[in-house]
Amino acid sequence: MINEQIRDKEVRLIGEDGEQLGIMSARDAFRIAQEAELDLVKIAPGAKPPVCKIIDYGKYKYELTRKEKEAKKKQKIVEVKEVRLSPNIDTNDLNTKVNNAKKFILKGNKVKVTLRFRGREMAHVQQSRHILDDFYKLVGDIAVIEKPAKLEGRNMSMVLTVKR
């Protein structure tokens, strides 16, 4: 809330250079802000009495948006990449998939390894579990299992993430 929108009887006023000007009526605080050709901005509405500060509102909004942008820059978005396997995968194909997964993991992404079963392959689900175990052994030097292998419908999947 700024300027005339502040309807409180009393406010704690902070000057433009940060010093406390004390507790006064909102009208007096607004008048002081007008004399300084600045805006009266309510900073802490939950406090008793509410805290208002004399500042340039446009500059204040700009600083807030700049701080939000800086905070967003420092965040790292972790993507989940998926590697799909089948129960009758050949050794060389498995090695290719392992190399792709290693690239993803080294970039900092999580890797979801999915073993897809089709048709009659569903009868041999437990015999195919060793494929996921072999996959993990090949990437175990740089990755750890975040979510162990679990059968969900026609897919068995596990999630790998970078080793700390």
Side-chain angles (χ1 to χ4, degrees):
M1 297 173 93
I2 62 168
N3 297 336
E4 295 93 9
Q5 296 174 348
I6 300 171
R7 297 269 181 229
D8 300 297
K9 286 183 180 177
E10 286 187 330
V11 294
R12 181 179 303 275
L13 187 64
I14 298 174
E16 56 204 290
D17 50 349
E19 88 275 1
Q20 295 239 357
L21 300 178
I23 297 172
M24 59 183 68
S25 71
R27 281 194 193 131
D28 292 340
F30 179 57
R31 187 179 38 75
I32 293 170
Q34 280 184 324
E35 287 171 6
E37 295 181 1
L38 293 168
D39 299 305
L40 182 67
V41 180
K42 190 188 285 189
I43 293 177
K48 294 263 191 281
V51 179
C52 294
K53 190 171 183 180
I54 298 174
I55 47 177
D56 182 2
Y57 187 67
K59 190 175 180 182
Y60 174 71
K61 289 293 283 183
Y62 172 75
E63 290 291 325
L64 284 179
T65 54
R66 208 178 94 233
K67 284 179 185 173
E68 286 175 14
K69 281 183 185 176
E70 283 294 319
K72 279 186 181 178
K73 277 185 190 175
K74 291 176 183 164
Q75 288 180 349
K76 183 167 187 334
I77 294 114
V78 177
E79 287 185 55
V80 178
K81 301 284 189 171
E82 186 174 20
V83 175
R84 289 185 177 167
L85 310 173
S86 66
N88 50 6
I89 192 167
D90 194 42
T91 313
N92 291 326
D93 295 335
L94 184 68
N95 289 336
T96 303
K97 300 281 188 175
V98 165
N99 288 336
N100 287 338
K102 282 184 177 181
K103 286 179 195 170
F104 297 146
I105 290 169
L106 290 174
K107 284 183 182 175
N109 297 319
K110 294 181 182 182
V111 176
K112 181 179 181 182
V113 184
T114 305
L115 188 59
R116 295 176 66 196
F117 298 100
R118 296 168 145 153
R120 293 189 180 171
E121 293 171 349
M122 284 299 292
H124 308 289
V125 171
Q126 292 308 317
Q127 289 90 346
S128 301
R129 189 181 199 98
H130 74 88
I131 294 170
L132 290 177
D133 296 335
D134 293 344
F135 192 94
Y136 176 65
K137 285 177 189 167
L138 293 169
V139 296
D141 55 330
I142 61 165
V144 291
I145 296 176
E146 183 179 281
K147 186 177 151 198
K150 183 180 175 187
L151 185 67
E152 296 164 347
R154 293 189 163 273
N155 299 325
M156 184 182 290
S157 60
M158 68 177 176
V159 178
L160 302 174
T161 187
V162 68
K163 197 180 255 185
R164 297 270 177 245

